[in-house]
Amino acid sequence: MKTILSLLLLLVNISTATAQQPDGDHLTVRPLLQDMGQKLLTGKTGSIIAIDPETGKILCLATHSPEGPDTQLAIATAYAPGSTIKTAQALTLLSMGLIDENTRVACYGAFRDGNIRVRCHHHPSPLGLVQALALSCNTWFLSQFMTMLNDRFLFDDKYDAITQWHDYMQSMGLGGPLGIDIPNEKGGLLPNVGYLSRRYPKGWNARTIMWTGMGQGDITTTPLQLANLAASIANRGWYITPHIHDHASQSYTEQHWTKVDPNAYPLVIKGMRQAVLSGTCTALKACSFPVCGKTGTVENPGPDHSVFIGFAPMENPKIAIAVFVEHGGFGADLAAPMASVMLELYLKGKLTPALQQRAKRLEEKTVIGK
């Protein structure tokens, strides 16, 4: 009964007729997964979106707010992505030839630039790319993003640098609506020259916008875009427009290839796998298959938002996921454990006793906003 109610609520949220919506209401969501997503979000505000990377079909689109389910939280609410965006940053910097697997950055607890100090996790120093992803080093990504903007060997000027960066990131499905077959999708913010000129009329430089390198400041994404980013990484460079209705429209079968160098994906995936084995995503070690993931902790007024993106299995992935919990704390606190339950349930059809207990605790957890 709860599963049927969950699907009915989803249908109500997406039932507004538009030209995009096909005839009929045959949804691609899996009832068992959808119902679990709704349970996990009880007492919280947020979204869980799962996608079949091979087809673009949405397997779960669970949302919850104080007023009940609200699909707009998943497809039309733009949040800072936090450290989940470090995956896309790494893919871009690798493709540009600015970094490689051996690029090492020293970090002693914080990034410092003049009077700016950005805290980082406690970890060994210096770090290479794989460990920087696994341990989510802010110093690594802030410094390398600034290095890109200041590079005058590869780029004519800062405008050329940000334009090329923007093109890579946009090719991964960021910065605009993806075209999901649900009305009122919005696309978030991916800064370009025009935006930065308007935002900073007195001028801008690498120091002005460095926060973008760690997923804060002048960049926002929707949870749907984050799930799609995970799908594109799972596919090693392409995605199909996410859709929630079963239909044969060409726009929902075409592969969209990113601009990313194919050789960049194995390194980023290695970092995401290491994040699960010994980094910020160790909650996913509870799964009975290899998971690749990346946590995010989004700073904002009030408690931080908890975010996770990932996919599984590592080879021949069958599911990509994004979990976003407003005011849920660190990405490892809520989003990653919730993802572990969803991934195990989808790939195995049931939960281990340990994950059953985790699901129960997460369902009972109430998150109060600011």
Side-chain angles (χ1 to χ4, degrees):
M1 180 63 69
K2 288 184 178 179
T3 299
I4 295 172
L5 178 60
S6 173
L7 288 174
L8 286 173
L9 287 170
L10 180 63
L11 276 168
V12 168
N13 272 275
I14 65 174
S15 62
T16 304
T18 68
Q20 283 185 304
Q21 184 170 325
D23 293 334
D25 284 317
H26 183 55
L27 301 183
T28 62
V29 296
R30 300 297 179 90
L32 187 66
L33 205 60
Q34 180 71 20
D35 190 49
M36 178 57 73
Q38 294 296 157
K39 287 179 179 178
L40 293 176
L41 288 170
T42 300
K44 309 165 189 69
T45 297
S47 309
I48 302 175
I49 306 97
I51 298 172
D52 179 343
E54 185 178 2
T55 65
K57 292 181 179 180
I58 292 178
L59 306 171
C60 172
L61 200 165
T63 62
H64 194 268
S65 73
E67 292 74 38
D70 181 2
T71 304
Q72 297 299 294
L73 284 173
I75 70 169
T77 305
Y79 305 91
S83 293
T84 59
I85 208 65
K86 291 173 182 174
T87 56
Q89 299 284 23
L91 290 168
T92 297
L93 295 171
L94 284 164
S95 299
M96 289 175 165
L98 281 161
I99 63 170
D100 61 25
E101 185 174 13
N102 298 314
T103 301
R104 301 179 74 78
V105 175
C107 174
Y108 302 105
F111 171 83
R112 294 175 175 83
D113 186 326
N115 62 349
I116 296 174
R117 181 179 182 276
V118 182
R119 288 183 302 170
C120 196
H121 305 287
H122 293 292
H123 56 65
S125 180
L127 294 178
L129 172 60
V130 170
Q131 285 301 315
L133 282 167
L135 299 171
S136 200
C137 178
N138 289 331
T139 300
W140 205 101
F141 285 92
L142 287 171
S143 63
Q144 294 309 300
F145 184 71
M146 293 179 73
T147 296
M148 176 199 72
L149 291 169
N150 289 324
D151 190 295
R152 293 299 168 263
F153 178 76
L154 288 177
F155 310 110
D156 294 337
D157 49 34
K158 64 184 180 183
Y159 306 107
D160 182 29
I162 201 69
T163 297
Q164 292 197 41
W165 170 86
H166 179 276
D167 289 348
Y168 276 106
M169 300 289 280
Q170 187 177 52
S171 77
M172 288 180 256
L174 305 172
L178 287 163
I180 188 174
D181 53 350
I182 303 175
N184 304 318
E185 181 193 3
K186 295 181 182 177
L189 169 66
L190 192 62
N192 57 18
V193 172
Y195 164 83
L196 292 171
S197 297
R198 294 189 300 273
R199 174 76 172 84
Y200 303 104
K202 294 183 179 180
W204 59 274
N205 56 32
R207 194 167 187 247
T208 312
I209 66 168
M210 68 177 191
W211 313 101
T212 303
M214 56 180 279
Q216 298 281 165
D218 295 302
I219 185 170
T220 61
T221 60
T222 64
L224 175 66
Q225 287 178 323
L226 292 180
N228 187 70
L229 173 62
S232 74
I233 298 173
N235 289 332
R236 279 67 168 173
W238 58 271
Y239 66 89
I240 292 175
T241 302
H243 52 285
I244 201 165
H245 294 87
D246 254 336
H247 48 76
S249 170
Q250 184 177 356
S251 60
Y252 298 108
T253 59
E254 178 185 357
Q255 291 182 349
H256 301 277
W257 287 87
T258 73
K259 288 188 62 176
V260 173
D261 182 342
N263 294 318
Y265 283 99
L267 281 175
V268 170
I269 290 169
K270 185 177 179 181
M272 295 175 73
R273 179 62 184 147
Q274 198 60 42
V276 173
L277 293 175
S278 61
T280 63
C281 304
T282 52
L284 279 298
K285 289 174 70 175
C287 294
S288 54
F289 41 80
V291 182
C292 298
K294 182 72 193 76
T295 54
T297 303
V298 178
E299 298 176 10
N300 65 98
D304 295 335
H305 299 328
S306 180
V307 197
F308 174 86
I309 65 170
F311 61 88
M314 182 176 179
E315 303 297 334
N316 301 312
K318 303 300 181 186
I319 181 173
I321 193 168
V323 180
F324 201 109
V325 182
E326 292 187 12
H327 309 296
F330 293 115
D333 289 345
L334 278 183
M338 290 167 72
S340 71
V341 172
M342 297 293 287
L343 295 175
E344 183 77 17
L345 184 62
Y346 180 68
L347 290 175
K348 295 297 182 179
K350 61 181 181 179
L351 298 176
T352 63
L355 284 173
Q356 287 178 6
Q357 289 300 312
R358 176 177 287 180
K360 186 174 186 296
R361 290 194 301 270
L362 290 168
E363 183 180 349
E364 293 172 349
K365 174 75 173 178
T366 297
V367 176
I368 300 174
K370 60 182 179 178

